Amino acid sequence: MKKISVLMSVYNEPNEWLEYAITSILIQTYRNFEFIIVCDNPKNKSLVQFLQKKEQEDRRIKLIINDNNIGLAKSLNKAYEYSEGEYIARMDADDIAYPNRFMQQITFMEENNSVDLLCGNVDIINETGNIIKYSKNIEYTIEQLKKLLEVANDLIHPTFFMTRKAFEIIGGYRPFPAAEDYDFILNLMSQGLNIYQFPETVLKYRIRENSMSYGNALVSQLSTTYIQKLYLERKESGVDSFNFNEVQKIINVDSKEKEKYSNILYNIRGKYNSNKIMKFFVSLKGLIISRYFRMYFFDLLKVSHTIKKCSRQD
């Protein structure tokens, strides 16, 4: 049986959520794995103690405690350095994997050697763990994803399951403040590696229900725009002009604009989601008051068209 290395970074997730996430990995029907957990919030002593207790309870857990907060991308790269598995799986600290997740993913990968990274579908849960949206069991082929990923990332990061070779070839994650998974998979594509989304539902994906959930939305959008620019550069010349100074500009985007943008998205996606008339007027207001939302709106139209096109049978 081939070994799987599960990479997870923990920052400020409640212990209750962590308990569900960790347990869902430990009870997988596929048993040959190691679970590498990076604590990226060493100042939270309660969190550290909780994770240390989990490490003592199961020998498959390897706990790494960062000296200071270094972010998701660098934490995942550090976890990889400690890994030994032939396959690499991602997991987030607030999600819940279904028991057959690894068995389904490794079986598919063993039977489809041309696939380098596999993604799956998810059921959406709220803060209390209740399912609020069931998976549509979407399948994207290699060729469909080549078209889709050029304009948007419709893949769920904690469902990633890849060969060790895939991670090694691109050297892991680059330090974006958001959308680092999008940069990761576009780098895979640039190297000629293949990505596939099979129709299986592999985990419960948790979303938060308050406006704070959208606080990072503008940073994510700006990161995405820069990541797409870098991808086009690689497509044209084989290399890109990644510059950490550009990343710092994204991180330091105007806080007032960030708050305004997050409030617009919250009103559209959140409490007004079931009211189509109100949703229309909030969207219209967003177009008027935020230049970033205008970018988002027109990008959304392009993405929607591409997803519909890619979802059709070839």
Side-chain angles (χ1 to χ4, degrees), residues 5-19:
S5 295
V6 188
L7 313 185
M8 186 173 84
S9 177
V10 180
Y11 180 65
N12 66 350
E13 294 78 8
N15 287 358
E16 180 183 2
W17 294 0
L18 271 173
E19 181 71 45

Side-chain angles (χ1 to χ4, degrees), residues 63-76:
L63 177 61
I64 303 167
I65 302 173
N66 289 339
D67 294 330
N68 48 64
N69 173 235
I70 61 175
L72 178 61
K74 290 182 179 180
S75 292
L76 293 178

Side-chain angles (χ1 to χ4, degrees), residues 79-304:
Y80 175 79
E81 292 173 3
Y82 285 81
S83 70
E84 301 173 349
E86 291 136 297
Y87 287 103
I88 304 297
R90 275 284 292 113
M91 181 63 183
D92 276 349
D94 52 359
D95 298 328
I96 303 171
Y98 285 119
N100 288 331
R101 174 194 170 178
F102 291 164
M103 184 65 76
Q104 291 173 322
Q105 290 186 304
I106 199 168
T107 299
F108 182 93
M109 294 289 279
E110 288 290 292
E111 294 175 353
N112 296 272
N113 294 329
S114 63
V115 176
D116 300 288
L117 185 147
L118 177 67
C119 299
N121 286 267
V122 300
D123 292 327
I124 306 296
I125 60 174
N126 59 18
E127 292 177 335
T128 58
N130 296 317
I131 295 177
I132 57 176
K133 185 177 181 181
Y134 284 94
S135 165
K136 294 182 179 179
N137 300 110
I138 296 170
E139 182 173 14
Y140 288 125
T141 66
I142 292 170
E143 292 305 315
Q144 286 174 328
L145 281 175
K146 285 179 180 178
K147 299 173 185 177
L148 174 60
L149 289 171
E150 288 194 349
V151 298
N153 179 18
D154 201 38
L155 306 178
I156 305 297
H157 192 191
T159 72
F160 283 16
F161 191 97
M162 72 194 84
T163 63
R164 190 173 192 85
K165 177 190 74 172
F167 201 102
E168 288 178 347
I169 284 177
I170 64 170
Y173 293 86
R174 294 198 287 193
F176 284 92
E180 60 283 308
D181 56 323
Y182 189 28
D183 181 63
F184 186 93
I185 54 181
L186 286 184
N187 270 317
L188 289 180
M189 282 177 49
S190 296
Q191 292 293 329
L193 301 182
N194 293 323
I195 304 166
Y196 197 100
Q197 175 167 308
F198 73 165
E200 305 298 336
T201 301
V202 297
L203 59 78
K204 296 178 183 178
Y205 184 73
R206 194 185 303 270
I207 61 171
R208 303 189 183 190
E209 299 174 336
N210 55 56
S211 60
M212 292 299 291
S213 303
Y214 302 105
N216 206 36
L218 180 53
V219 171
S220 180
Q221 180 182 322
L222 295 176
S223 296
T224 295
T225 300
Y226 183 43
I227 287 165
Q228 290 172 336
K229 171 181 174 292
L230 296 174
Y231 171 73
L232 292 176
E233 289 177 357
R234 294 194 301 276
K235 195 174 181 181
E236 181 70 24
S237 65
V239 295
D240 66 42
S241 60
F242 175 78
N243 188 320
F244 193 69
N245 289 333
E246 293 299 317
V247 175
Q248 284 298 122
K249 290 179 183 178
I250 295 171
I251 295 172
N252 296 325
V253 66
D254 182 77
S255 58
K256 290 183 180 179
E257 190 67 45
K258 189 189 297 185
E259 181 181 1
K260 180 168 61 178
Y261 185 86
S262 65
N263 287 336
I264 293 168
L265 286 191
Y266 174 57
N267 287 332
I268 292 172
R269 298 181 184 176
K271 61 182 179 181
Y272 295 135
N273 193 46
S274 61
N275 188 328
K276 293 183 178 180
I277 295 176
M278 184 63 75
K279 185 174 181 179
F280 170 78
F281 282 108
V282 173
S283 299
L284 185 61
K285 180 181 178 183
L287 284 170
I288 295 170
I289 69 174
S290 172
R291 66 186 179 93
Y292 291 114
F293 186 75
R294 288 195 292 275
M295 292 166 51
Y296 167 80
F297 182 82
F298 291 113
D299 282 347
L300 196 63
L301 295 179
K302 180 173 66 175
V303 168
S304 178

